Amino acid sequence: APTEKSFDKESERLLRIDVDGGVIVKPGSAVAYRGDLKFERLSTLKARGLRQKFRREMSPLVRVSGNGRMYCANKGWHLRLLQLTGGSVCIVSESLLAFEESLDHEIFLVGHGLGIVASGLFAVKLSGSGKLAFAIHGDPMTMTVRPDSPVTTDPHATLAWSSELEPELKTDLGWKELFEHGGGEPFQMVFKGKG
């Protein structure tokens, strides 16, 4: 058994977690494990209210408990690790791979009802102190949002943002533009403020 708890890269595309207690992972992300581990989907029964039950059903998470080592990956995408030390960050749920149980989490729907139309863009707000891992296809780019300089992004290319920002989903493409561009994603995420 490992002597030190590990939540680290095994390779550029594979996360290694030494579980001693519990950790939260995305369903289907565990590719291998050894030891005495139990996998349990976070129950919608314990959710507070219908809204939280819906979010847990649409964007499920799994608690892995026990003692052992597991490996996680997502579609062969590149792995990125982030250490939170008292702050918070929002990650698109499709990209989130795993996070330590010491982090508080809240699943939410970006753009409220409009998000369902835009392929159901769910995100997870993680707060507190602990490590998290997310998987990405390609190299990430960081953009600074300032009050005098908002940033607009494609929802499918957006991975994460600082929790001080609250993105809005909007569409401003006319039918003519939509058809001329092959029917691509008409929704955009708009970030205003500072973050």
Side-chain angles (χ1 to χ4, degrees), residues 30-154:
V31 295
Y33 73 92
R34 70 170 74 236
D36 183 19
L37 297 180
K38 179 182 175 187
F39 296 78
E40 180 183 17
R41 183 171 165 171
L42 291 185
S43 173
T44 56
L45 297 177
K46 296 178 183 175
R48 295 183 305 263
L50 287 175
R51 190 174 282 185
Q52 194 179 68
K53 287 180 184 180
F54 171 73
R55 291 172 184 159
R56 282 194 182 181
E57 193 65 35
M58 295 302 292
S59 185
L61 294 170
V62 172
R63 180 174 189 264
V64 182
S65 59
N67 196 288
R69 175 172 280 188
M70 66 181 293
Y71 298 90
C72 296
N74 184 22
K75 304 175 187 173
W77 290 359
H78 292 278
L79 182 66
R80 292 287 188 270
L81 296 177
L82 186 60
Q83 171 76 54
L84 286 183
T85 53
S88 59
V89 67
C90 300
I91 310 271
V92 172
S93 61
E94 183 187 0
S95 298
L96 184 63
L97 194 59
F99 58 93
E100 291 183 316
E101 205 171 34
S102 59
L103 291 170
D104 293 325
H105 72 280
E106 177 190 350
I107 301 167
F108 65 97
L109 185 61
V110 177
H112 308 292
L114 187 59
I116 295 173
V117 180
S119 303
L121 187 61
F122 282 90
V124 181
K125 181 179 179 181
L126 296 166
S127 308
S129 294
K131 288 185 180 178
L132 64 104
F134 57 98
I136 59 171
H137 183 66
D139 294 320
M141 176 178 69
T142 302
M143 298 182 73
T144 302
V145 178
R146 296 185 308 270
D148 63 337
S149 182
V151 173
T152 302
T153 66
D154 178 337

Side-chain angles (χ1 to χ4, degrees), residues 158-186:
T158 306
L159 302 169
W161 56 92
S162 53
S163 62
E164 299 84 17
L165 299 172
E166 188 172 331
E168 301 171 14
L169 280 183
K170 73 165 192 172
T171 179
D172 59 4
L173 296 177
W175 282 106
K176 184 178 178 189
E177 292 174 293
L178 185 62
F179 284 113
E180 284 178 353
H181 291 99
E185 179 61 75

